[in-house]
């Protein structure tokens, strides 16, 4: 069983962690390109070490000039911008959130979901899967505010979530990794627990604009 | 960084500045500057030097400690975009003549405004106005003067109602009213034909006006965090219409002609207030006596939104209204036999 890595900022003060890092041949990614290369290595096998991926993603210190070309904002909704297709093992994308933009409550189609803040802050609200006897709507389980460079993790067994930029003055940019990649997910109506399938579309791929098929909202937000 | 030629940007953010002198620049260099970024400094006043950049088009002084904007700002006759988020500004901070500025984008989110200053409400060139995260208690009716407005961001304030005059902003594409205390949306909002996105999340809405369906270009509508009803129980109490109302209804539905010599002016005024019953099977009108009805409709990515409209009587019903299990319902698309079942109960 692979031991989880300690936070890389503690590397110098803890020789055990340093040794572990040598063994796994993983360096703290200095650039976004380094991060992508490291992620390719981490996802070579079919098993995913969640703590390791989360730690690596958290240790990349966001440098806007490295990801600016992927970060295009839409005035009315958050955008999804594909960065890398991970050799078919994962999708890496950057999401741009204007002031007040939020997602629906959604699942992750049996995949791992890693969410790292590159700029600004995002509020994540967790929900349980709705059961049939839903009386008063879906109640939130917990919420947290994710700060710059923090990386959160979720999968369907942990529940559902809604992600929002609650700021009225700042935009937010986040880096998402989904493994295996998926094209549709379920969006949930908070009042009733009713769900609907939503197709996930990209605003841009690899820095190039890819127009939507339809501009009408699929978000239940 | 400075670029020579057509567009010159001076980037002076995050430099711990508490003042600014541009004396080291030649006059011609100062004339070249079109964009100035002074964000995240320690400015408690707008440095005088800024007001003498006569060709300045874009000024961002967000994240400082400004309490007042000096009169000299009027010298910036080419200023198109003015951003001063996260400062200490309020409705008394701006010069009286500010309305004469030809500014198109004004972003003052994250300040201390309790009212929208009168000067702003006279700026007919304004295309984008942001006052998010302030302390606004209401939206003044004079907002309708901003006829060029395409974007109005008022999220994160203390607003409890929307004046119908907002509906006169016919160029409006994006209206943000999230994180306020709004209990109802005026039906007149359906006049906002250009509206592409409406943000209403985190308010006190229990239903929306049925008229929202006519916002055919709407691409985004946010409603999370509102106590929208899931079930509608018909009002059991009903005040029968007055004799005046019954007479008025007869006159209107029978199309009886009348003129100012037939009736006193107060009754003519009353007759002109008739509202048409939205039930297309009923050609009736109502005045004060009406019944509230809620229909659940899938709209704009949302499931079963409660849409409210008034009907002229409890016997009246809108088509496809009584089945609460029905999903998305189209206007006027109910087959006649189903309507008969509804009317017969």
């Amino acid at each position: 069983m692979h031991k989880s890595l300690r936070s890389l900022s503690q590397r110098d003060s803890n020789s055990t962690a340093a040794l572990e890092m040598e063994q796994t041949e993983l360096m703290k990614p200095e650039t976004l390109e380094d991060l992508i290369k490291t992620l390719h290595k981490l996802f070579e096998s079919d098993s995913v070490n969640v703590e390791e991926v989360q730690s690596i993603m958290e240790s990349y210190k966001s440098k806007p000039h490295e990801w600016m070309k992927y970060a295009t904002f839409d005035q009315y909704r958050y955008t999804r911008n594909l960065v890398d297709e991970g050799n078919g093992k994962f999708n890496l994308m950057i999401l741009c959130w204007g002031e007040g933009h939020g997602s629906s409550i959604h699942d992750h189609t049996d995949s791992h979901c890693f969410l790292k803040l590159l700029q600004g802050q995002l509020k994540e609200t967790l929900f349980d899967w709705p059961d049939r006897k839903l009386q008063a709507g879906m109640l939130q389980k917990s919420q947290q505010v994710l700060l710059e460079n923090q990386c959160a993790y979720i999968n369907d067994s942990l529940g559902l979530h809604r992600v929002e930029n609650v700021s009225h003055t700042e935009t937010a940019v986040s880096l998402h990794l989904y493994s295996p990649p998926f094209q549709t997910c379920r969006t949930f109506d908070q009042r009733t627990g009713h769900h609907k399938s939503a197709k996930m579309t990209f605003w841009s791929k690899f820095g190039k604009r890819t127009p939507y098929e339809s501009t009408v909202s699929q978000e239940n937000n | 960084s400075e670029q020579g030629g057509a567009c010159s940007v001076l980037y002076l953010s995050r430099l711990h500045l508490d003042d600014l002198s541009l004396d080291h620049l030649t006059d011609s260099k100062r004339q070249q500057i079109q964009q100035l970024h002074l964000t995240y400094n320690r400015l408690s006043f707008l440095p005088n030097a800024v007001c003498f950049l006569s060709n300045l088009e874009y000024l961002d002084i967000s994240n400082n400690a400004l309490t007042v904007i000096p009169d000299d700002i009027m010298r910036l006759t080419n200023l198109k975009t003015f951003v001063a988020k996260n400062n200490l500004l309020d409705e008394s901070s701006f010069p009286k003549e500010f309305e004469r500025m030809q500014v198109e984008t004004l972003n003052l989110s994250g300040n201390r405004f309790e009212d929208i200053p009168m000067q702003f409400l006279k700026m007919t060139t304004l295309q984008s106005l942001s006052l998010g995260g302030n302390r606004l208690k209401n939206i003044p009716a004079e907002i309708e003067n901003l006829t060029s407005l395409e974007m109005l961001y008022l999220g994160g304030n203390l607003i409890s109602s929307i004046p119908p005059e907002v509906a006169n902003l016919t160029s409006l594409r994006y209206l943000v009213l999230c994180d306020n205390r709004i209990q109802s949306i005026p039906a007149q909002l359906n006049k906002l034909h250009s509206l592409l996105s409406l943000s209403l999340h985190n308010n006190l809405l229990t239903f929306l006006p049925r008229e929202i369906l006519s916002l055919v270009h709407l691409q985004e509508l946010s409603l999370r965090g509102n106590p929208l009803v899931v079930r509608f129980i018909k009002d059991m109490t009903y005040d029968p219409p007055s004799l005046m109302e019954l007479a008025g209804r007869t006159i209107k539905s029978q199309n009886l002609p009348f003129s100012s010599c037939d009736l006193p002016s107060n009754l003519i005024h009353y007759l002109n207030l008739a509202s048409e019953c939205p039930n297309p099977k009923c050609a009736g009108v109502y005045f004060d006596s009406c019944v509230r009805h809620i229909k659940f409709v899938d709209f704009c990515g949302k499931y079963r939104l409660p849409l409210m409209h008034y009907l002229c009587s409890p016997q009246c019903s809108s088509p496809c209204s009584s089945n609460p299990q029905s999903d998305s319902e189209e206007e006027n698309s109910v087959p006649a036999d189903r309507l008969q079942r509804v009317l017969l109960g």
Side-chain angles (χ1 to χ4, degrees), chain B residues 219-245:
Chain B
Q219 296 170 13
E220 286 296 333
L221 171 65
S222 70
L223 288 166
R224 62 188 179 277
N226 277 286
L228 297 175
V229 298
V230 179
R231 253 162 237 97
F232 173 62
I233 289 126
K234 254 188 181 165
D235 290 331
M236 292 312 289
T237 58
Y238 169 62
D239 288 328
S242 61
L243 285 175
M244 182 156 95
E245 167 126 13

Side-chain angles (χ1 to χ4, degrees), chain B residues 227-285:
Chain B
L228 297 175
V229 298
V230 179
R231 253 162 237 97
F232 173 62
I233 289 126
K234 254 188 181 165
D235 290 331
M236 292 312 289
T237 58
Y238 169 62
D239 288 328
S242 61
L243 285 175
M244 182 156 95
E245 167 126 13
L246 288 172
R249 287 189 184 198
T250 306
I251 290 168
K252 295 299 281 192
S253 58
Q254 301 290 322
N255 260 315
L256 298 174
F258 58 90
S259 71
S260 54
C261 17
D262 301 316
L263 295 169
S265 58
N266 64 314
L267 289 181
I268 304 232
H269 177 73
Y270 178 81
L271 287 171
N272 289 334
L273 293 177
S275 304
E276 282 175 16
C277 181
N279 179 5
K281 300 285 178 182
C282 162
V285 301

Side-chain angles (χ1 to χ4, degrees), chain B residues 24-292:
Chain B
H24 59 284
L25 292 179
T26 62
D27 216 34
S28 75
K29 280 278 178 192
R30 269 178 286 194
Q31 309 296 346
Q32 271 179 27
I33 298 168
Q34 290 177 305
Q35 277 194 34
L36 176 58
H37 299 254
L38 274 168
T39 64
Y40 293 97
N41 279 297
R42 297 175 185 175
L43 300 167
S44 55
F45 56 86
L46 184 65
N48 200 239
V50 173
C51 300
F52 288 88
L53 301 172
S54 49
N55 286 316
L56 199 65
E57 294 179 5
Y58 179 104
L59 175 60
D60 188 352
I61 44 171
S62 301
N63 294 90
N64 278 286
L66 297 176
T67 51
V68 82
I69 302 297
D71 289 350
D72 273 340
I73 198 156
M74 301 304 299
R75 293 175 176 273
L76 299 176
T77 51
N78 290 303
L79 196 65
K80 290 277 170 294
T81 301
F82 183 57
V83 184
K85 301 182 295 182
N86 298 323
N87 277 283
L88 306 168
L89 301 166
D90 64 29
E91 59 275 8
S92 60
S93 300
F94 280 77
K96 285 201 179 66
E97 310 82 36
F98 195 76
E99 66 200 62
R100 289 196 275 112
M101 298 282 283
Q102 302 281 293
V103 168
E104 291 170 2
T105 298
L106 196 53
N107 188 337
L108 297 163
S109 293
N111 278 287
R112 297 182 176 180
F113 288 88
E114 290 186 20
D115 281 301
I116 303 181
M118 259 304 149
Q119 303 94 308
F120 293 4
L121 299 169
K122 294 179 184 164
M123 292 168 72
T124 52
T125 53
L126 216 47
Q127 292 173 16
S128 172
L129 176 60
S130 293
L131 281 164
N134 276 283
R135 303 165 186 185
L136 299 176
K137 292 176 293 253
N138 57 59
I139 307 171
E142 289 86 345
I143 195 91
E144 64 181 353
N145 296 339
L146 301 178
T147 46
S148 304
L149 212 57
E150 294 177 15
M151 205 283 271
L152 180 58
Y153 192 115
L154 297 175
N157 279 288
L158 305 167
I159 296 166
S160 53
S161 72
I162 305 169
E165 285 81 6
V166 168
N168 294 331
L169 297 170
T170 46
S171 304
L172 209 57
R173 293 183 190 209
Y174 189 29
L175 178 57
V176 181
L177 294 166
C178 60
D179 293 291
N180 275 292
R181 299 173 177 180
I182 297 166
Q183 296 182 27
S184 70
I185 304 295
Q188 294 92 327
L189 245 53
N190 69 343
K191 289 200 291 179
L192 294 173
H193 304 299
S194 308
L195 204 63
L196 300 177
S197 178
L198 178 57
S199 167
L200 293 169
H201 59 271
N202 299 329
N203 273 291
L204 300 170
L205 300 168
T206 47
F207 52 72
L208 299 172
R210 191 192 211 243
E211 286 80 2
I212 206 167
L213 289 174
S214 38
L215 291 175
V216 290
H217 299 296
L218 204 63
Q219 296 170 13
E220 286 296 333
L221 171 65
S222 70
L223 288 166
R224 62 188 179 277
N226 277 286
L228 297 175
V229 298
V230 179
R231 253 162 237 97
F232 173 62
I233 289 126
K234 254 188 181 165
D235 290 331
M236 292 312 289
T237 58
Y238 169 62
D239 288 328
S242 61
L243 285 175
M244 182 156 95
E245 167 126 13
L246 288 172
R249 287 189 184 198
T250 306
I251 290 168
K252 295 299 281 192
S253 58
Q254 301 290 322
N255 260 315
L256 298 174
F258 58 90
S259 71
S260 54
C261 17
D262 301 316
L263 295 169
S265 58
N266 64 314
L267 289 181
I268 304 232
H269 177 73
Y270 178 81
L271 287 171
N272 289 334
L273 293 177
S275 304
E276 282 175 16
C277 181
N279 179 5
K281 300 285 178 182
C282 162
V285 301
Y286 62 89
F287 293 84
D288 304 304
S289 176
C290 55
V291 178
R292 175 187 294 181

Side-chain angles (χ1 to χ4, degrees), chain A residues 17-202:
Chain A
L19 207 61
E20 279 179 339
M21 278 191 40
E22 274 180 47
Q23 285 167 353
T24 55
E25 288 174 85
L26 290 166
M27 298 288 289
K28 168 184 160 157
E30 289 294 331
T31 67
L32 181 61
E33 252 191 71
D34 284 347
L35 175 62
I36 296 172
K37 284 199 187 101
T38 309
L39 289 169
H40 275 243
K41 282 207 202 91
L42 287 177
F43 281 88
E44 254 165 15
S45 75
D46 281 332
S47 69
V48 176
N49 182 323
V50 169
E51 287 91 359
E52 194 170 29
V53 174
Q54 197 170 359
S55 177
I56 287 290
M57 282 189 70
E58 199 151 290
S59 68
Y60 162 64
K61 190 168 183 299
S62 169
K63 295 179 190 66
H65 68 268
E66 291 175 357
W67 46 257
M68 260 169 79
K69 69 174 191 179
Y70 303 108
T72 325
F73 288 82
D74 180 298
Q75 189 167 53
Y76 312 135
R77 63 182 76 83
Y78 71 90
T79 63
R80 273 192 206 93
N81 304 276
L82 185 65
V83 173
D84 191 86
E85 280 176 323
N87 280 334
K89 289 293 181 64
F90 61 81
N91 268 351
L92 188 70
M93 61 191 77
I94 279 174
L95 272 62
C96 297
W97 312 75
E99 296 89 327
H101 290 177
S103 76
S104 50
I105 302 171
H106 58 274
D107 70 349
H108 298 87
T109 321
D110 292 321
S111 293
H112 300 281
C113 161
F114 298 84
L115 194 177
K116 178 197 172 68
L117 261 293
L118 295 176
Q119 175 189 292
Q121 301 179 1
L122 288 173
K123 182 167 96 170
E124 182 194 27
T125 308
L126 294 179
F127 294 86
D128 279 323
W129 285 81
D131 61 43
R132 311 192 102 241
K133 293 184 231 84
L134 207 57
Q135 292 288 336
M138 293 169 71
L139 289 174
Q140 70 179 57
K141 207 159 56 166
S142 66
Q143 57 179 231
Q144 61 170 337
V145 174
L146 298 164
L147 306 174
E148 271 182 25
N149 286 309
Q150 265 189 281
C151 179
Y153 170 78
I154 194 171
N155 67 46
D156 284 354
S157 72
L158 297 172
L160 309 165
H161 71 180
R162 187 197 298 284
V163 180
E164 314 169 69
N165 176 13
V166 297
S167 175
H168 299 294
T169 56
E170 316 306 320
T171 58
V173 180
S174 53
L175 182 69
H176 298 234
L177 187 152
Y178 300 104
S179 179
F182 56 93
Q183 284 75 45
T184 62
C185 69
R186 282 185 261 203
T187 61
F188 293 78
D189 176 69
Q190 188 171 353
R191 297 177 295 136
T192 58
H194 178 265
H195 65 79
K196 202 159 71 175
S197 185
K199 190 171 160 193
M200 293 162 74
T201 55
F202 289 109

